[in-house]
Amino acid sequence: MSHLVNVDDIKTVAVIGCGTMGNGIAHVFAQTKHNAILVDQSEERLSKAVAAISRNLARQVKKEKITEDDSKATLERITTTTNIKDAGSAQLAVEAVFEDKEVKTSIFEGLANVCDSQTIFASNTSSLPITQLASASGRPDRFIGMHFMNPVPVMKLIELIRGVATSAETFEAIRDLSLRLGKTPVEVNDYPGFVANRILMPMINEAVFAVMEGVSSVEDIDTVMKLGMNHPMGPLTLADFIGLDVCLAIMETLYDGFRDSKYRPCPLLRKMVHAGYLGRKTGRGFYTYEEKI
Ligand code: NAI
């Protein structure tokens, strides 16, 4: 029989994958007094992630949102490791590795071997089916989608995705936890792209078609959406920020999930990913950037 999952019992959180999203997720958990264990494949990636968290905390101190002491205490609550076994002490494991079903599945199989049977597993996937990932975890009732937005310490929204078997207790505990993180959770059922990306990505994909067909320039397409629709950022700037590989992976999932041609990925998007022009993280996407982040 399964025990009731209580949000107060979640004191240590393992975050698997320390890239763009993982370092932000560890940051918000540590800032809200949880111990965060950051797991990735190499020490190099882990030290880059800790450097990014330190930079982001310093920015919060400068803006007087937190004090120097808060920043120091947050960093002290974060530990790093390349050994997934170290995730064994967590009451919650949040996966934020590449948007690839096989990679994510092998992470959940690995976590199932080292974590307590009561530990809740969450995926930060942008679009992969939660129900399918849940089956690989061996604990589909204690599995949920926690879709944070980028940059995690700044963005308030979190989509909480129920898989077919996600229990009411798991959902309630993770909703309470999301509120404690200072986020606004939204309940979503498990359909391709959930809500955020089902609406956002076809818009970005359409903007890439407009570039490919020479409808207008990259800058002007962004200007139309910024000044015409009051979007804070144009779709191509946003695509660079998210990562073009991530955008392509989400379009593939939408296309695969619905088998509807309106979700076909734009060939130019695919070509840019093949070229390694992934956006801000590689210094080049629709725009060029001096500093890779
Ligand atoms: P990223 O490429 O910046 O980071 C992925 C990290 O996972 C890398 O540090 C990599 O070394 C690590 N990793 C890969 N395989 C691993 C393994 N077997 N064990 C341990 N670590 C491993 O990717 P990003 O952008 O952080 O995306 C992560 C997830 O978050 C994806 O599922 C993505 O769809 C989702 N997401 C991304 C958003 C974005 O704006 N970039 C927004 C919301 C969700």
Side-chain angles (χ1 to χ4, degrees):
M1 203 181 108
S2 73
H3 301 138
L4 287 187
V5 183
N6 190 333
V7 65
D8 293 318
D9 297 337
I10 302 177
K11 296 193 169 23
T12 299
V13 179
V15 180
I16 325 300
C18 72
T20 312
M21 296 303 289
N23 79 60
I25 295 169
H27 176 146
V28 296
F29 275 113
Q31 200 161 11
T32 49
K33 303 207 165 36
H34 301 88
N35 302 312
I37 305 167
L38 204 42
V39 187
D40 208 299
Q41 287 169 314
S42 75
E43 292 295 347
E44 194 197 339
R45 292 202 71 102
L46 287 163
S47 45
K48 273 192 186 156
V50 172
I53 296 170
S54 306
R55 266 198 315 276
N56 293 333
L57 284 167
R59 201 172 298 134
Q60 287 176 301
V61 172
K62 207 168 159 202
K63 287 188 182 162
E64 296 184 356
K65 295 206 157 140
I66 58 170
T67 65
E68 274 291 353
D69 285 351
D70 295 333
S71 164
K72 199 164 160 272
T74 299
L75 278 174
E76 280 169 3
R77 283 191 283 270
I78 299 175
T79 51
T80 62
T81 178
T82 54
N83 189 346
I84 197 142
K85 280 191 184 150
D86 294 330
S89 60
Q91 291 82 39
L92 168 70
V94 183
E95 166 280 314
V97 302
F98 302 135
E99 187 73 346
D100 179 302
K101 208 180 291 171
E102 274 69 46
V103 178
K104 287 185 189 291
T105 302
S106 74
I107 295 289
F108 287 117
E109 286 167 352
L111 283 170
N113 288 333
V114 299
C115 291
D116 187 271
S117 62
Q118 296 303 307
T119 302
I120 299 180
F121 289 176
S123 175
N124 182 52
T125 179
S126 304
S127 63
L128 295 171
I130 292 300
T131 305
Q132 213 172 342
L133 295 175
S135 342
S137 72
R139 61 190 71 203
D141 56 328
R142 278 182 293 279
F143 194 102
I144 190 163
M146 277 184 99
H147 184 208
F148 290 86
M149 304 290 131
N150 182 16
V152 182
V154 177
M155 300 292 278
K156 286 271 175 214
L157 179 71
I158 173 164
E159 281 188 303
L160 296 184
I161 302 107
R162 278 180 188 277
V164 162
T166 306
S167 70
E169 290 87 357
T170 300
F171 187 85
E172 291 311 324
I174 298 300
R175 177 156 56 195
D176 288 351
L177 181 67
S178 304
L179 293 170
R180 289 187 187 185
L181 297 179
K183 303 295 179 201
T184 304
V186 166
E187 182 177 347
V188 179
N189 284 315
D190 189 20
Y191 285 97
F194 316 131
V195 172
N197 283 315
R198 180 169 178 173
I199 297 174
L200 173 67
M201 281 304 155
M203 182 192 72
I204 288 179
N205 197 47
E206 202 58 34
V208 185
F209 268 111
V211 176
M212 187 180 83
E213 291 165 12
V215 180
S216 192
S217 66
V218 166
E219 290 78 4
D220 284 352
I221 291 167
D222 274 351
T223 301
V224 167
M225 298 306 282
K226 270 195 304 188
L227 303 187
M229 317 298 152
N230 242 353
H231 289 193
M233 201 185 265
L236 300 164
T237 304
L238 181 57
D240 276 0
F241 188 67
I242 295 170
L244 302 193
D245 52 339
V246 176
C247 294
L248 177 61
I250 297 169
M251 286 311 297
E252 302 274 23
T253 302
L254 287 170
Y255 188 52
D256 190 45
F258 291 112
R259 305 285 159 101
D260 183 332
S261 65
K262 75 177 173 184
Y263 298 112
R264 75 228 175 281
C266 176
L268 176 61
L269 179 63
R270 197 184 297 284
K271 189 152 76 171
M272 291 180 72
V273 172
H274 286 165
Y277 299 166
L278 305 185
R280 294 194 75 131
K281 61 185 162 188
T282 56
R284 181 166 180 180
F286 289 101
Y287 297 90
T288 50
Y289 305 88
E290 294 206 342
E291 193 195 346
K292 296 178 192 172
I293 56 163

